[in-house]
Amino acid sequence: MTKITLLDGGMGQELIRRHGQPASPLWSTQVMIDRPGLVAEVHRDYADAGATVATTNTYAIHRDRLKGGASNHYASDGVELANMEDQLEALHIAALDEAEAVRGRCRIAGSIGPLGASYRADLHPEETIAVPLYAEIADILAPRVDLLIFETIASLDAARSCLIAGRTTDKPVWLAFTVDDEDGSLLRSGEPLAEAARIAAEADAVLANCSAPEAMPAAMEALAKAGVPYGAYANAFALLTKAFLQGGTTADDLKAREDMTPATYADHAMKWVDMGATIIGGCCETNPAHIAEIARRLRAAGHEIT
């Protein structure tokens, strides 16, 4: 019997589905203003499904996103936003308040997404700029979370910045890397994931996230060498093409895979467990039904969900 930490699933896409509004550069942030309580509802549904970690809805709350720039959750889309930078701390507090809905049922993971834009290593600032920005968020989250999870890390430079910033707090630091959908041994930057694993050896856990489920076995092989607990939480998007990653497209161009049912996704997740993963869950376009099926499979296989 293996003890498995079961993460929750996607938040942003689930909020779109429940809120009924199309994707916009800050939809997952704006919804906490427009529909307070909706994020807490999602947290509760994931806990009911069996998740033991609730990830805060703070992925996109960065100064560069709130200033009214062109970055959204995925890539630059050219939409001009109202400047919300003065609400940086208030929005984090709102997300932390929503996560309190499952306090006592789940550990709370403070999510910190990438600076610049998701998947775009070329837009990530240099370390001297990145570390203070990440550390500012980590310091806001740390008093009310059980751990910090830096998500969708696309390059080695970003990984170093995240780790340094995370270590300014007293909370465990998890690093989650996004890998090439066609070759899970590579970061989105094209750099070897094995090099990222060397950096992650100084973290408390390491994962691969927001990439195709089929890419995760190769990622698991690389991350296992970090010598810390490892795992994966994949997305259920159609393949992220190189053209998409070069920019000029929007979140609306991302489509869910019709074949990635809860049963199919759980098939992938159980393979990761067979490879030694002890932390698994879901990312974009997965939902409570996916997590519930993973929980069912884990129990049926004799694993303990912790």
Side-chain angles (χ1 to χ4, degrees), residues 150-301:
F150 290 86
E151 301 193 90
T152 323
I153 300 169
S155 70
L156 299 179
D157 284 346
R160 295 185 188 97
S161 294
C162 291
L163 183 61
I164 293 169
R167 289 303 186 211
T168 64
T169 78
D170 62 353
K171 294 300 167 70
V173 175
W174 293 11
L175 301 181
F177 294 93
T178 182
V179 299
D180 188 294
D181 285 339
E182 299 172 290
D183 184 351
S185 70
L186 300 176
L187 292 167
R188 297 281 186 191
S189 63
E191 298 166 304
L193 186 60
E195 293 297 321
R198 292 188 177 93
I199 296 171
E202 301 300 319
D204 296 284
V206 60
L207 303 106
N209 85 299
C210 215
S211 310
E214 292 85 354
M216 295 309 187
M220 293 300 92
E221 291 182 3
L223 296 182
K225 298 174 183 177
V228 297
Y230 63 93
Y233 55 114
N235 64 38
F237 284 139
L239 188 70
L240 295 180
T241 65
K242 298 299 188 290
F244 179 90
L245 297 176
Q246 290 171 1
T249 49
T250 74
D252 286 334
D253 294 299
L254 291 168
K255 305 301 180 185
R257 288 175 58 170
E258 294 182 2
D259 65 319
M260 200 52 61
T261 64
T264 300
Y265 187 85
D267 287 342
H268 287 284
M270 294 306 292
K271 291 177 183 176
W272 310 334
V273 172
D274 290 341
M275 296 183 69
T278 58
I279 308 169
I280 59 174
C283 204
C284 302
E285 292 292 2
T286 63
N287 58 48
H290 292 82
I291 301 306
E293 178 61 15
I294 294 172
R296 187 188 71 79
R297 299 276 191 97
L298 288 171
R299 295 188 185 103

Side-chain angles (χ1 to χ4, degrees), residues 4-8 51-56 99 102-110 144-147 172 174 278-279 306:
I4 304 293
T5 295
L6 183 55
L7 306 175
D8 50 13
T52 55
V53 174
T55 308
T56 60
V102 292
R103 172 73 68 182
R105 300 176 65 191
C106 300
R107 283 181 286 167
I108 308 299
R144 294 181 60 185
V145 301
D146 298 294
L147 62 99
W174 293 11
T278 58
I279 308 169
T306 61

